[in-house]
């Protein structure tokens, strides 16, 4: 049996239970809830402790770089989005939005999606965190072309051995702008 559950806007958690209405047994096998692993991937909810940032997201700027981060800005679908503008790039500089780490499973393929517009190329860099606490960075998509209109982008990766979690970072590394909206990450294989 397959069912689709439409979760109302603003709901942060969902519980699903199985029950029987008479004497007997219930056996379940191979069930899952799939959906966006990124908390607040649409940027619609502000961080209550810091309303200048979306819930579940962090702005990061490299030392020596001057950047402003805008939230909320107008998104691809008329809702909220995020914005970065670098006005002075440092020697190893970049600025980025990154979502809170999400747990992933070894050997599983994941798909990442975003809508973006920006005045220069940007990269999507991932950071794996392993069970032993070590980290490894990887390029999911590099030198994504500039776009004046909202543009859809997707990429896939397979979680490596001994993985604990991952985050992805959409970043720019020159004096430019980048807007993001409607980000998703889900198990796809």
């Amino acid at each position: 049996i397959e069912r689709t559950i439409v979760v109302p806007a603003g709901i942060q958690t969902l519980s699903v239970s199985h029950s029987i209405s008479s004497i007997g047994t219930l056996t379940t096998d191979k069930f899952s809830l799939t959906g966006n692993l990124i908390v607040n991937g649409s940027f619609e909810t502000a961080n209550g402790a810091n309303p200048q940032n979306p819930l579940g997201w962090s702005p990061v700027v490299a030392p020596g770089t001057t950047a402003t981060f805008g939230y909320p800005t107008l998104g691809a679908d008329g809702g909220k989005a995020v914005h970065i503008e670098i006005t002075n790039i440092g020697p190893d500089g970049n600025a980025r939005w990154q979502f809170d780490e999400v747990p992933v499973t070894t050997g599983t393929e994941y798909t990442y999606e975003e809508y973006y517009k920006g005045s220069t190329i940007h990269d999507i860099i991932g950071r794996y965190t392993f069970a032993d606490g070590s980290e490894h960075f990887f390029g999911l998509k590099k030198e994504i072309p500039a776009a004046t209109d909202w543009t859809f982008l997707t990429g896939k990766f397979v979680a490596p051995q001994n993985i604990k979690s991952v985050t992805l970072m959409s970043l720019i590394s020159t004096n430019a702008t980048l807007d993001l909206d409607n980000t998703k990450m889900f198990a796809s294989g």
Side-chain angles (χ1 to χ4, degrees):
I1 299 173
E2 184 174 317
R3 298 283 187 253
T4 301
I5 301 170
V6 178
V7 180
I11 299 299
Q12 296 295 317
T13 61
L14 172 69
S15 297
V16 175
S17 61
H18 300 277
S19 63
I20 56 176
S21 59
S22 63
I23 297 172
T25 62
L26 172 67
T27 303
T28 62
D29 188 20
K30 297 183 182 178
F31 63 90
S32 67
L33 295 176
T34 58
N36 194 356
L37 299 173
I38 301 171
V39 172
N40 196 28
S42 64
F43 303 106
E44 298 306 310
T45 305
N47 181 330
N50 185 359
Q52 293 81 23
N53 293 332
L55 180 69
W57 288 81
S58 299
V60 181
V61 62
T65 296
T66 305
T68 56
F69 295 88
Y71 176 77
T73 60
L74 186 61
D77 57 4
K80 296 176 183 176
V82 292
H83 175 81
I84 308 168
E85 181 175 5
I86 294 180
T87 55
N88 183 34
I89 193 73
D92 293 319
N94 67 66
R96 62 191 183 266
W97 283 101
Q98 68 186 52
F99 58 83
D100 293 347
E101 291 193 17
V102 296
V104 290
T105 303
T106 294
T108 300
E109 179 184 76
Y110 293 89
T111 298
Y112 173 76
E113 299 176 348
E114 73 178 24
Y115 281 84
Y116 77 94
K117 64 180 180 175
S119 62
T120 190
I121 61 170
H122 79 282
D123 299 325
I124 301 174
I125 305 298
R127 184 185 68 219
Y128 295 129
T129 300
F130 293 93
D132 66 2
S134 64
E135 297 177 339
H136 174 75
F137 290 85
F138 66 98
L140 182 65
K141 289 281 191 175
K142 302 283 282 177
E143 298 187 0
I144 301 158
T148 55
D149 294 320
W150 287 105
T151 303
F152 177 75
L153 174 73
T154 187
K156 295 178 184 269
F157 66 94
V158 176
Q161 292 291 322
N162 301 314
I163 188 77
K164 177 182 167 193
S165 58
V166 69
T167 185
L168 297 169
M169 311 159 205
S170 295
L171 65 87
I172 53 176
S173 54
T174 189
N175 292 347
T177 62
L178 176 65
D179 290 28
L180 300 173
D181 196 12
N182 296 328
T183 61
K184 295 179 183 174
M185 190 180 102
F186 53 90
S188 54

